[in-house]
Every structure is written in structure tokens, then in C-alpha cells.
Amino acid sequence: EDAPNYPFSKYSASHFHPPSSSSPQKSPLKLHSSPRKLEPPSPKKLGDSPKKLGDSSKKSGDSSLKKDSDFFFSPKPLTRPLHSNLSIAHSKQAVFLSSLILQVINDCLLSALQQICKIGIEEESLRDEIFSQIMKQLCPQAAITSLTAPTFMKGWELLSICLGIFPPSPTLTPYLASFLYNNLKGEKKFANLVQSCVKRLKKVLFYGPRKNPPSEVEIHYTKIAKNVPVEVHIPDGRDLKIWVDSSMKAGMFLKKIQKRLGLKSPYYALYESYKGMERSLESEEFVLDILHKWETYGLAHLSPSTPRSTASSLPSSLKFKFKQRVFPSESNLGRKDEAFLYHQAVNGVMTGQFPCNELQAVTLGTLAALHDSLKMKSDDPFLGNSITRYYIPPTTSASRKPSEWAQIVTTQKGKISPLPKTVSKVEKMYLKEVQSLPFYGSTIFVVQLINPQDLLPKATDRSLHIAINMKGIHLLTPTKTLQHTTFNNTTEYSTNPKTKIVKITS
């Protein structure tokens, strides 16, 4: 709002070193050992809401910048920072940053771009210097030609990327907003990126800085002014593609998925999954920060012989999963929530998350095959290979031939009376049956034993887990349950945000 009230010449006169042309002799670099406090030019508060910054229909270009002869594109790095209030250490970093910015806009160097973002995340005092230097490189001294356009395009890409990672200070914000609005009607070839910068400025002021630099995938989509497609696996086997912007947090992402699937139950959660291990995401985590973490891991484990590409930077073994975190009674669920929980329960039985004996496996396998038979309007699910592949858990199916399992399941189907005629009815029957399993609805945690007691004399040599569900706490090894206790017999005696120590009594 009020973009004309914030000409950048006013900001530069108050916060920059004097232009070199203002003095007949070169003045030595004057560095302050400690930053001086900068006050916003107006009491008007910006950034309280992503809707605070309005539009401007003023002519493109900021004519006030012409008054500062130093504030134009330069092919050479700075010899001193723009801001006069930086400490000696930050002034040296600012000069280094100017070299990195030139590497990005001239050579599109990915490592330089990510290093700029990393400095902006870690050094709040340098954020305004970064934005000011980029803005300087976006001010041509002459008309933009076909030869110079790519350089300025990369400059706008860099500004857009930075605005998705960290915000400017309240002091610089109105001047940066004015700069963007005055460029909205500038070169048409930059229009999409300028509009993207405006949107990202509003959001970064509201949601705050990220914790990680952008991934290669995020950089690619930011350059074309688009959101990032992120795939989420759901229990029925599908991978949903959700478009995510730089400011989206896990809590917002979760609601977006629920809305997409038409689910109303409050008991869902979002997880990052890696080779059978899962971690539930906190609502304030930025989704694209997690992609950067995955990319860092993937590149660290990338074979030297593997061709480097954006696609290969994200390991396929890492993925987002969306599922129920609490397992309520099916009578409390809506139709779509019930169908979702059915698929999650089937997946839990087949992967061994909900262990069952042979009789239970046959009962559940028969219902699951009947479900798909009704849905497909075919008897194919009751064929031998289908039974062992999709309906009987691998730990159980290995004991018989596929043809034997097909006969057993077909016989079990004949015992169901009356035989359900709808998919919904079968799902209800399956959920009612699966709730009898001891580990139904469990969340499983890895156990670290600090002082093993006599109960577990060789515990340090075992893989121990705790499974927690509505029935209580189960202490497990890969082969058996060591102990089960209800919540009435547990005492939490120490806790911190990441670890809970629970005392279990018999």
C-alpha cells in the first residue's frame, strides 16, 4: 500500500554508504563494529496479514532510483556493502554475497543460490543487504536487450526464491513492496516473476522464515512461477499430487489433503516415511523444508555413476504418507472416512503392523477379497495367486500353496450368512473384525534401554519396540510380546518435547 510514499532513494539516503561519485576522492571503507538500530519510516505495521499489501497502478520503474548513481546493475562485485550499519564481519559477508549474486545471475550457479539463501536464513542482519543487492542488479542503466534480458530474468528468479525463504525487515519492507509494485507494469517478459514476488512477500511476512534453503525441485518451479508438485501416498495405494507453495506448513498441507479426499474426521496425520520408519510431522513444519532435507540425504548417497538430475536428487524411498493416527469406532465415521480407514486397516494387516493368527488371517482375507469382488464385479480376487498376493499376509501365506488358500477362502466365504451385497457393508464387517486384533490401531516406537533390568537380561542385544493403542502399551521384540499393560498401570515420570520416559508396572 502507498507505494509512491516509499521511494527507494529515501531508503538509500538513510541506510546506504554515500555514492562514490559524491566525493572527489575515494573514501576508505568505513565499517561499524556494531549495528545501529534502524527505525521503520512509518508507524504503519506491515506483515500482520498476507492481505495487508495492496496493489499499485503506478507506472513501472522507480524513477527515484535514478537519483542514486550507484544503484544500478554492475557486472563487478561490490568492494563494500551497500548498508552503512553493518559490523565488520557482516560487511565482509556482504561483499562476498555480491560475488555469489553475480554467479547466480551470470552463470545460474545452484550452489551459489543455495548459499545466499542459507546466509539469509542464518544471518538476519544481512537479509536487507541481500534484498538491496538483488534490487540493485535489477535496475538497468540502459534499455534491456535480447542479450541482457537473461541476466535480469535470473535476477528476478533469485529475488522470487529469496522471498520464499526469508523476509525483509520492517524497515525495508515498504520500500521493497514499492519497488515490486512499480515493476508490475514493466517488462512483460518478467511479469509472472514480479507477480510471484509480490505474492511471496505477503506470505513470508505473515508466515516467517524457513529453516532450510530451497531444494533443486523448488528452485526449478519457482523459476517458472509455479507451485511445487508433492506426492502423498494414501492407504488405498494411490499417490495424490498436491501443489505446494513456499509458505505451506504441514498443518495447512494436511487440511488440503483432507479437503481433496472429502474427509471430515479430526484423527488424521501426515508422516514422512523411509524404509518402514515413519515420523509424524508437526503442524508448523514447512513442507518444502522437508524436501530439502530429503534432497540433501539423496545427494549424499547418490552413486557417482548416476547422472545428476533434479528428479534423481530426491530418493524414492522417502515419501509423505497421509493416514489415520487415531482409530475410532466405525460407527462414529462418515462414509468416506470409513472407506479410508478400511484401506488403512487392510494395509496394516498385510504389512504385519497388525499381526494375526491363521484363522484371523483367513476371516479378514475372505472379507477383503469379497470387498474387491463386489467392487470389480468379478470373482478374480478369489483366484489362488490373487489370494496370496493381496489378501493373506506374507507371514501366513508362506505355509500353504496358493491353490490351497484359494480353496480355504472360498469355503470361508460360503460360511458368511447372509452374504453382504454392498461394498460399504463389507467394510463395516472388516473393521469390526480387525478391531479384535491386539495391535489394531497401534503406533509403534523404537525403545532405547539405558539401564536394563532383570526382566530383560539381554535387552541391549534385541530390537525392542513399544506399540501403543487404545488397549494400552505393548513391549515387543520381532518374535513375541514381552509385556502388555493398560494405561492404568503406567506412570510418566519424565518428559521433554522429544522424549517420553514411561514406567510400566505389572
Side-chain angles (χ1 to χ4, degrees):
E1 293 178 359
D2 303 323
N5 294 334
Y6 296 100
F8 206 85
S9 58
K10 182 179 177 182
Y11 178 86
S12 62
S14 302
H15 301 90
F16 286 0
H17 287 288
S20 57
S21 59
S22 64
S23 174
Q25 297 180 350
K26 289 185 178 180
S27 57
L29 176 61
K30 185 178 180 182
L31 302 176
H32 295 269
S33 58
S34 60
R36 73 167 183 262
K37 187 177 181 182
L38 301 181
E39 297 295 336
S42 166
K44 187 168 187 177
K45 191 173 182 182
L46 293 169
D48 286 347
S49 162
K51 299 181 180 179
K52 283 283 184 182
L53 298 176
D55 197 355
S56 173
S57 58
K58 299 297 178 182
K59 294 181 180 179
S60 63
D62 191 342
S63 60
S64 66
L65 294 174
K66 297 177 183 178
K67 299 176 184 179
D68 186 347
S69 60
D70 276 6
F71 204 82
F72 285 110
F73 171 84
S74 172
K76 297 180 179 180
L78 298 176
T79 57
R80 65 178 183 180
L82 296 177
H83 287 81
S84 60
N85 69 308
L86 298 179
S87 67
I88 293 176
H90 282 153
S91 293
K92 291 180 179 179
Q93 279 188 290
V95 173
F96 175 61
L97 278 163
S98 70
S99 298
L100 292 177
I101 290 172
L102 283 173
Q103 289 178 38
V104 173
I105 64 177
N106 289 329
D107 305 319
C108 203
L109 195 61
L110 175 68
S111 59
L113 191 156
Q114 291 182 320
Q115 195 167 1
I116 292 169
C117 292
K118 187 174 188 295
I119 293 172
I121 292 169
E122 296 175 352
E123 300 289 350
E124 186 175 353
S125 300
L126 285 172
R127 290 173 183 173
D128 287 356
E129 178 73 15
I130 292 172
F131 286 120
S132 297
Q133 287 193 27
I134 298 173
M135 292 162 66
K136 176 181 183 297
Q137 298 295 58
L138 289 173
C139 295
Q141 295 192 51
I144 296 176
T145 66
S146 58
L147 293 177
T148 59
T151 296
F152 290 98
M153 178 69 79
K154 293 185 184 78
W156 280 110
E157 290 170 356
L158 176 58
L159 182 58
S160 180
I161 289 167
C162 288
L163 283 171
I165 304 298
F166 53 88
S169 71
T171 306
L172 180 63
T173 295
Y175 298 102
L176 175 52
S178 176
F179 176 84
L180 295 176
Y181 293 136
N182 287 328
N183 277 278
L184 281 173
K185 293 188 178 181
E187 294 281 344
K188 290 185 178 180
K189 60 177 69 71
F190 307 141
N192 287 343
L193 281 168
V194 178
Q195 291 172 1
S196 176
C197 285
V198 172
K199 293 176 182 177
R200 290 161 83 88
L201 174 60
K202 295 175 184 178
K203 291 186 176 183
V204 77
L205 289 171
F206 186 72
Y207 294 109
R210 299 254 298 273
K211 295 186 182 299
N212 291 324
S215 65
E216 290 186 35
V217 174
E218 181 179 357
I219 291 170
H220 169 75
Y221 282 96
T222 302
K223 286 181 177 181
I224 57 177
K226 290 186 177 181
N227 291 337
V228 181
V230 176
E231 288 193 343
V232 183
H233 186 76
I234 59 176
D236 66 4
R238 289 181 294 160
D239 289 315
L240 300 181
K241 184 179 288 186
I242 308 291
W243 296 88
V244 175
D245 66 23
S246 61
S247 64
M248 184 167 289
K249 297 183 178 181
M252 302 156 58
F253 194 35
L254 181 70
K255 291 179 181 178
K256 195 167 185 176
I257 298 169
Q258 279 190 259
K259 184 177 181 181
R260 169 88 168 266
L261 296 173
L263 304 174
K264 297 181 180 179
S265 168
Y267 304 118
Y268 293 101
L270 192 63
Y271 299 81
E272 61 170 334
S273 173
Y274 175 68
K275 294 183 177 179
M277 297 181 292
E278 295 178 350
R279 180 186 72 89
S280 60
L281 304 185
E282 298 178 10
S283 61
E284 290 300 302
E285 289 185 74
F286 286 99
V287 174
L288 296 184
D289 275 348
I290 298 171
L291 287 192
H292 174 269
K293 181 181 71 174
W294 292 359
E295 179 182 271
T296 302
Y297 176 85
L299 293 177
H301 294 79
L302 194 64
S303 170
S305 61
T306 304
R308 178 69 184 275
S309 69
T310 299
S312 66
S313 66
L314 291 177
S316 58
S317 54
L318 281 160
K319 60 180 65 178
F320 288 110
K321 286 187 176 181
F322 172 80
K323 57 184 183 178
Q324 287 263 18
R325 60 179 173 82
V326 176
F327 290 73
S329 168
E330 78 280 357
S331 61
N332 299 327
L333 296 174
R335 178 68 195 98
K336 289 185 178 180
D337 294 277
E338 183 180 78
F340 186 96
L341 183 56
Y342 163 78
H343 287 290
Q344 185 168 332
V346 171
N347 189 56
V349 170
M350 291 299 296
T351 58
Q353 184 183 358
F354 308 150
C356 54
N357 58 37
E358 184 173 301
L359 179 59
Q360 292 167 329
V362 169
T363 302
L364 292 170
T366 303
L367 289 171
L370 179 58
H371 174 277
D372 289 356
S373 177
L374 289 170
K375 200 168 186 178
M376 298 164 57
K377 298 181 179 179
S378 166
D379 288 332
D380 288 352
F382 286 94
L383 299 178
N385 290 333
S386 295
I387 288 293
T388 54
R389 185 175 181 183
Y390 299 112
Y391 307 113
I392 303 296
T395 53
T396 304
S397 63
S399 63
R400 300 176 187 274
K401 295 179 180 180
S403 57
E404 292 181 78
W405 282 116
Q407 183 61 45
I408 292 171
V409 168
T410 302
T411 302
Q412 181 66 24
K413 175 186 174 184
K415 294 178 181 179
I416 301 175
S417 180
L419 195 67
K421 299 296 180 69
T422 65
V423 168
S424 175
K425 179 63 176 176
V426 177
E427 289 173 353
K428 288 180 183 294
M429 292 174 65
Y430 190 98
L431 289 174
K432 184 176 181 180
E433 186 68 32
V434 80
Q435 284 177 16
S436 65
L437 301 181
F439 300 114
Y440 171 72
S442 293
T443 299
I444 300 177
F445 302 90
V446 176
V447 176
Q448 180 181 8
L449 291 175
I450 301 172
N451 294 308
Q453 303 298 316
D454 293 339
L455 172 67
L456 306 168
K458 298 180 181 178
T460 52
D461 299 326
R462 301 179 185 180
S463 176
L464 287 170
H465 294 80
I466 281 182
I468 301 177
N469 61 9
M470 300 299 288
K471 298 174 184 178
I473 298 177
H474 314 263
L475 188 59
L476 313 171
T477 70
T479 58
K480 65 179 179 179
T481 301
L482 296 178
Q483 187 173 343
H484 167 256
T485 184
T486 64
F487 289 110
N488 293 333
N489 294 323
T490 63
T491 305
E492 181 182 307
Y493 63 88
S494 177
T495 182
N496 65 49
K498 294 185 177 180
T499 305
K500 291 188 182 296
I501 302 175
V502 180
K503 183 178 180 180
I504 302 175
T505 58
S506 300

